[in-house]
Amino acid sequence: MRKILYLDIVNDIKGKIEKGDLKPGDILPSEHELSDFYDVSRTTLRKSLALLVNENYIYTIPGKGNFVCEPTSNHYQFYFDEIDSLQGEIDEVKLVKVGVISPGRRLMRELKIGAFEKVIKVQKTVYIDEDSAQYMAIYLPYQKGNPIVEDVINFANFHGIMEKGKMQFQLKKHLHIEMILPPLEVRRYLNTQPEEHVFMVSQRIVSVEDNMPISFSEFYIKKEYFAISAETVI
């Protein structure tokens, strides 16, 4: 029998809340009951509950127990994928360049690395109807011998690599979206005018297990090829 991991417990309780089996205000079974139900130690269970609290699915009242949170009306969830979120039929995803660079201050902060560490930079351009619709720059900490990193260097095929290297539920993604006037390098790849604004989506992928960054990406998208839609969560 497969050993139950703390993330399995998290996903199971999330599923019960999202399906309405556990409703806002409901109290969860005691830690002793949950430990017996999932056949795990109290330490493993408490790790799961702490993550659920951190993600605002439950809250704890000392001496009373763990309760399901009320829905948050201004908390939205939307779908973003660097390829599938584009509006229109993709003609081509063209590799521009793959290289190893020294990080600047922003990359040091986003990837939690030092000034003397190296970073892999993957650059691609996406074409729709023969027009350059999106330019992307993907940054990964360089770790010699890491199979995921070596795959990126050898094949420059980032799309899906992170999901293959780690189970999707073990990853957390942080997004930031804004309208900007892109830098000169991006304008050249997108063929935009100096006064033309584009969407800039920055994405940081971190490991849930240790909260360490796995990658940092910037996606520059022309306005006509990107739209945002979202719905409220629980």
Side-chain angles (χ1 to χ4, degrees):
M1 182 177 177
R2 184 175 70 88
K3 183 177 177 61
I4 299 294
L5 302 176
Y6 79 96
L7 286 172
D8 295 326
I9 301 171
V10 169
N11 288 325
D12 186 61
I13 295 176
K14 278 184 180 180
K16 290 176 179 177
I17 294 173
E18 290 168 354
K19 288 186 296 184
D21 296 337
L22 289 170
K23 296 179 173 54
D26 282 355
I27 184 171
L28 269 62
S30 69
E31 290 187 4
H32 177 73
E33 291 172 313
L34 288 172
S35 296
D36 286 347
F37 179 78
Y38 289 111
D39 192 22
V40 296
S41 68
R42 295 283 283 272
T43 300
T44 297
L45 178 69
R46 285 170 179 167
K47 192 174 182 180
S48 304
L49 295 176
L51 188 56
L52 288 165
V53 170
N54 187 55
E55 295 187 7
N56 297 316
Y57 276 86
I58 65 172
Y59 62 95
T60 300
I61 298 179
K64 293 188 177 181
N66 298 288
F67 298 81
V68 178
C69 289
E70 292 289 336
T72 305
S73 60
N74 62 350
H75 185 189
Y76 288 83
Q77 179 173 285
F78 75 96
Y79 174 84
F80 173 77
D81 179 90
E82 59 262 38
I83 301 297
D84 294 342
S85 293
L86 297 178
Q87 307 294 303
E89 294 294 326
I90 308 295
D91 294 329
E92 180 184 14
V93 179
K94 183 178 179 181
L95 174 67
V96 176
K97 187 179 180 181
V98 180
V100 179
I101 64 171
S102 297
R105 289 185 178 180
R106 186 179 187 192
L107 286 181
M108 290 167 58
R109 182 176 68 251
E110 296 290 353
L111 294 175
K112 294 186 179 180
I113 58 175
F116 297 103
E117 297 183 61
K118 296 296 183 181
V119 173
I120 298 173
K121 181 179 181 180
V122 181
Q123 299 167 266
K124 290 184 177 183
T125 306
V126 180
Y127 291 88
I128 296 177
D129 295 329
E130 300 183 353
D131 181 28
S132 52
Q134 176 185 239
Y135 164 79
M136 65 180 83
I138 303 161
Y139 304 92
L140 303 95
Y142 176 63
Q143 300 170 349
K144 190 173 182 179
N146 184 325
I148 293 176
V149 173
E150 297 298 339
D151 281 347
V152 173
I153 292 177
N154 293 332
F155 306 109
N157 182 22
F158 180 80
H159 188 60
I161 283 179
M162 302 319 307
E163 283 71 16
K164 292 178 182 177
K166 279 182 170 285
M167 292 297 290
Q168 182 64 34
F169 63 76
Q170 293 178 308
L171 303 175
K172 184 188 295 184
K173 299 182 180 182
H174 304 266
L175 289 179
H176 176 77
I177 303 174
E178 61 180 315
M179 293 286 292
I180 67 164
L181 288 171
L184 179 60
E185 178 187 32
V186 176
R187 293 209 314 265
R188 287 202 304 265
Y189 290 121
L190 290 181
N191 194 27
T192 57
Q193 299 301 314
E195 69 280 1
E196 185 177 348
H197 285 73
V198 301
F199 281 104
M200 197 277 280
V201 181
S202 58
Q203 175 181 263
R204 185 159 55 97
I205 300 178
V206 303
S207 168
V208 171
E209 187 172 6
D210 57 12
N211 206 38
M212 286 300 294
I214 295 172
S215 72
F216 175 71
S217 306
E218 294 176 321
F219 307 98
Y220 299 87
I221 310 169
K222 286 182 177 177
K223 293 179 290 185
E224 59 267 35
Y225 297 113
F226 187 60
I228 300 173
S229 60
E231 61 182 19
T232 55
V233 295
I234 59 166

